[in-house]
Amino acid sequence: MARRLFPGAPQPFIDLSTGINPYPYPLPPIPAGVFARLPEAEGQARLAESAARTYGAPSAAHVVPAPGTQILLALVATLVPAGKAAILAPTYSEHARAAGLAGHRVTETADIEQLRRADLAVITNPNNPDGRVIAKDRLLALAQDLKKRDGLLVLDEAFMDVCPPEASLAGEIDRGNIVVLRSFGKFFGLAGLRLGFALAAPRLAAMLNASLGPWAVSGPAIAIGERALADSAWMDATRNRLADAAQKLDRLLAEANIEVVGGTSLFRLAQVNRAAETFKRLGHAGIVVRAFSEQPTWLRFGLPNDQDWSCLRSRLETARSNPP
Amino acid sequence: MARRLFPGAPQPFIDLSTGINPYPYPLPPIPAGVFARLPEAEGQARLAESAARTYGAPSAAHVVPAPGTQILLALVATLVPAGKAAILAPTYSEHARAAGLAGHRVTETADIEQLRRADLAVITNPNNPDGRVIAKDRLLALAQDLKKRDGLLVLDEAFMDVCPPEASLAGEIDRGNIVVLRSFGKFFGLAGLRLGFALAAPRLAAMLNASLGPWAVSGPAIAIGERALADSAWMDATRNRLADAAQKLDRLLAEANIEVVGGTSLFRLAQVNRAAETFKRLGHAGIVVRAFSEQPTWLRFGLPNDQDWSCLRSRLETARSNPP
């Protein structure tokens, strides 16, 4: 794709277009039987235990293991009858698509107050791509209001792993009609594995588990997920490593006259005069980033691999001095 | 589970409780990047091409790759508005559950004529567990009738890989509202990988793909699936090997006075006087099979691993001579 857009660019491209940790959890050896046999219920139960502990959900009965959170978006939107969906925007565009698929009339709004009157309210927290974090008490107040009207609050915490644990609503899901979505692949750098979780009160979790049916998660995802989610030393070290890398990236971007205005440790949001033009300059220099069709001044930068830092610095320099 | 039921049995158990090929497709080395990176659309497109060719679907646009067919059951049931679902029974029980979940009134019937008046008609072909195969012209006539009334015919061809290719309806899916489900894990012996397909006219396939969203299938499943589905030499050899193994199993069961009355090369259906009693005799001897709560004379036997044949023979002898 990048090769077609920028045929003359140096290769391989430095791909900063995702928000996935480029320093993945080290893969344990996976016995062949894990691929061969139907995943056993016991393994999925242990994975749910591990996820409940790590994410701070009240119990394993609050956990819905899934083959990625993406597949959960449409399912979660069907937990309430088709009505009015309000999505705090701008944010990850798949939320609006999934809500529409479930038959909701979809509003995207920048005003959180507009979410109070929805049947389905969706907030990405921290938000993608600007990293905006909404405080827990505001979220709980919103959840209370929604609950009175049988509305549902969906919190996409796909990038919450790099925030202080107390920012998550996972521990409060019994206090309202709340579904928290957690992505495994982003923070653990294993997006190809397809693993994600919904966290919700047991009644809602049971509905989601029933929709997914048995064997929703692959044997390798269970084996790796169970182990990785219990590895708090790796998780702590990774949070530090990502924070350092994000700072380093900010410095490099500043040197290239690109101003960072938000983000999380997994991606940085830059504000530029004309994003489409900078996107092209970067592409011709061999750097792929994320542009947003409805945000003409935004570019999102993911973190580079360890071996790409010096190359990234020189390519940013090339991009800055080249004509567009 | 078996250990709890039969605490005194010899171990490890010989597990014949599934219909999964015990001689799995040899795992190719999987590069770490396949686990790390989000699966690329190009890979999923190549997988769909491979599946279309192998299963005989008209094109890749007719293919919906999914993380196992199980997750497709509930989605397929939502392709028609909630109404009357008729399932040719007895068969795999998850079809009734999935149709109910989608809001259908569910009838299970042994009479295929009853399926003509359904909104959603479901046939497992060849059937699990009796192996009954319904001829293509009858299926097409049913599909024609259903189409006139906007009904949908779902054909679960989970075990079709071991039948002559012309028995599949995959090549005829444009002739009616037909969805064919194909399982990857059973024939290829990689059930833990979670890979399956729906085959349908592009309009229906697009609806299913939209519900699943992007990145539905894991990187490892794409890498292994693409390769395995193109390996016709392995597939041919495996069909022969499974047919031989099924014959050998029938002989062993006959020696043990257990009569095989149906099945496919991936599992054998036996008829006994009291299935519950024989299930226990087998369990105490270290053999786990599948019993059916509503079929008091049926037991299903999967195929053993290569190294288990002689042990299976002696345990069957033990089971026969032991008191229940």
Side-chain angles (χ1 to χ4, degrees):
Chain A
M1 168 92 140
R3 222 172 295 182
R4 244 179 298 132
L5 275 176
F6 309 112
Q11 290 192 16
F13 284 92
I14 298 179
D15 183 6
L16 308 183
S17 69
T18 77
I20 298 165
N21 175 3
Y23 322 120
Y25 187 76
L27 286 176
I30 309 171
V34 167
F35 289 90
R37 283 191 300 271
L38 215 44
E40 284 172 14
E42 290 85 347
Q44 180 152 327
R46 284 195 310 269
L47 175 66
E49 291 280 357
S50 221
R53 260 194 307 273
T54 298
Y55 295 134
S59 83
H62 292 74
V63 178
V64 181
T69 42
Q70 182 67 38
I71 217 164
L72 287 169
L73 304 186
L75 288 184
V76 164
T78 64
L79 287 176
V80 287
K84 197 182 146 189
I87 295 167
L88 196 61
T91 191
Y92 183 49
S93 59
E94 284 287 321
H95 285 296
R97 193 186 69 84
L101 211 57
H104 295 285
R105 300 183 308 283
V106 181
T107 313
E108 296 185 80
T109 172
D111 177 12
I112 193 171
E113 294 303 314
Q114 296 286 322
L115 271 60
R116 289 185 195 281
R117 290 183 295 277
D119 301 294
L120 176 73
V122 182
I123 297 178
T124 305
N125 200 44
N127 193 38
N128 174 8
D130 61 351
R132 179 257 311 121
V133 175
I134 297 192
K136 211 161 160 173
D137 53 353
R138 275 193 91 183
L139 294 173
L140 283 171
L142 173 59
Q144 294 296 332
D145 284 359
L146 287 166
K147 191 181 181 183
K148 282 177 207 149
R149 311 173 45 256
D150 290 324
L152 179 73
L153 175 60
V154 175
L155 279 166
D156 181 356
E157 296 189 353
F159 297 98
M160 184 57 87
D161 310 69
V162 293
C163 298
E166 60 272 18
S168 170
L169 223 67
E172 323 290 335
I173 45 184
D174 280 331
R175 292 174 62 185
N177 296 329
I178 302 171
V179 177
V180 169
L181 300 175
R182 297 293 298 239
S183 163
F184 176 84
K186 293 180 182 71
F187 176 67
F188 288 93
L190 295 172
L193 189 61
R194 308 316 293 138
L195 180 60
F197 300 89
L199 312 175
R203 182 185 63 89
L204 295 172
M207 287 167 74
L208 292 170
N209 274 320
S211 293
L212 289 169
W215 319 298
V217 174
S218 72
I222 291 174
I224 297 169
E226 190 193 343
R227 186 175 170 132
L229 285 167
D231 193 343
S232 50
W234 185 90
M235 290 187 272
D236 288 342
T238 296
R239 268 183 277 269
N240 291 333
R241 185 178 185 179
L242 292 170
D244 290 348
Q247 277 194 11
K248 188 167 173 183
L249 179 58
D250 286 4
R251 285 196 301 272
L252 250 62
L253 293 174
E255 286 172 21
N257 277 342
I258 296 174
E259 186 196 7
V260 170
V261 295
T264 72
S265 300
L266 282 161
F267 57 82
R268 310 303 293 158
L269 181 67
Q271 182 129 30
V272 296
N273 286 335
R274 280 177 294 274
E277 191 183 288
T278 309
F279 178 85
K280 276 187 215 159
R281 277 178 192 270
L282 291 165
H284 287 302
I287 302 167
V288 186
V289 299
R290 180 84 164 81
F292 301 87
S293 54
E294 299 188 3
Q295 303 291 338
T297 64
W298 281 6
L299 288 177
R300 197 189 63 190
F301 290 75
L303 302 178
N305 285 319
D306 260 346
Q307 66 272 24
D308 282 343
W309 283 109
S310 67
C311 179
L312 176 60
R313 182 191 298 263
S314 70
R315 288 190 185 179
L316 282 170
E317 180 56 33
T318 308
R320 189 160 73 105
S321 45
N322 268 0
Chain B
M1 167 91 141
R3 222 171 295 182
R4 242 179 300 131
L5 275 177
F6 309 111
Q11 290 191 18
F13 284 91
I14 298 179
D15 183 4
L16 308 183
S17 69
T18 77
I20 298 164
N21 175 3
Y23 322 120
Y25 187 77
L27 287 176
I30 309 171
V34 167
F35 289 90
R37 283 191 300 272
L38 216 43
E40 283 172 16
E42 291 84 345
Q44 182 153 325
R46 286 196 309 271
L47 176 66
E49 290 281 357
S50 221
R53 260 195 306 275
T54 298
Y55 295 136
S59 83
H62 291 74
V63 177
V64 182
T69 42
Q70 182 67 39
I71 218 163
L72 288 168
L73 303 186
L75 289 184
V76 164
T78 64
L79 287 175
V80 286
K84 196 183 147 189
I87 295 167
L88 197 61
T91 191
Y92 182 51
S93 58
E94 284 288 320
H95 285 296
R97 192 185 69 86
L101 212 56
H104 295 284
R105 298 184 309 283
V106 182
T107 313
E108 297 185 80
T109 172
D111 177 11
I112 194 171
E113 294 304 313
Q114 298 284 322
L115 271 61
R116 290 188 194 280
R117 291 184 293 278
D119 301 294
L120 176 73
V122 182
I123 298 178
T124 305
N125 201 44
N127 193 39
N128 174 9
D130 61 351
R132 180 256 311 121
V133 176
I134 296 192
K136 211 160 159 175
D137 53 353
R138 277 193 89 181
L139 295 173
L140 284 171
L142 173 60
Q144 294 295 332
D145 285 358
L146 288 166
K147 192 181 181 182
K148 281 176 207 149
R149 311 174 45 253
D150 290 324
L152 179 73
L153 176 60
V154 176
L155 279 166
D156 181 355
E157 296 190 351
F159 296 99
M160 184 57 88
D161 309 69
V162 292
C163 300
E166 60 271 17
S168 169
L169 224 66
E172 324 289 335
I173 45 184
D174 280 330
R175 294 174 62 185
N177 296 330
I178 302 171
V179 177
V180 168
L181 300 175
R182 298 291 299 236
S183 163
F184 176 84
K186 293 182 182 69
F187 177 67
F188 288 93
L190 294 172
L193 189 60
R194 308 315 294 141
L195 179 60
F197 300 90
L199 312 174
R203 181 184 64 87
L204 295 172
M207 288 167 73
L208 292 170
N209 275 319
S211 292
L212 288 171
W215 318 300
V217 174
S218 72
I222 292 174
I224 296 170
E226 189 193 345
R227 184 175 172 132
L229 285 166
D231 193 342
S232 50
W234 185 90
M235 289 187 271
D236 288 341
T238 296
R239 268 183 277 270
N240 291 334
R241 184 178 187 181
L242 293 170
D244 290 348
Q247 277 193 11
K248 189 167 169 181
L249 179 58
D250 285 5
R251 284 195 302 272
L252 250 61
L253 293 174
E255 285 173 21
N257 276 341
I258 295 174
E259 186 195 9
V260 170
V261 295
T264 73
S265 301
L266 282 161
F267 56 81
R268 310 304 291 159
L269 181 67
Q271 182 130 31
V272 296
N273 286 335
R274 280 178 293 275
E277 191 184 288
T278 308
F279 178 86
K280 276 189 216 160
R281 276 175 193 270
L282 292 165
H284 286 303
I287 303 168
V288 186
V289 299
R290 179 84 162 82
F292 300 87
S293 54
E294 298 188 0
Q295 303 291 338
T297 64
W298 281 6
L299 288 177
R300 196 188 66 190
F301 289 75
L303 302 177
N305 285 318
D306 261 346
Q307 66 272 24
D308 282 343
W309 283 109
S310 66
C311 179
L312 176 60
R313 183 191 296 263
S314 70
R315 288 190 184 178
L316 282 170
E317 180 56 31
T318 308
R320 189 161 73 107
S321 45
N322 267 1

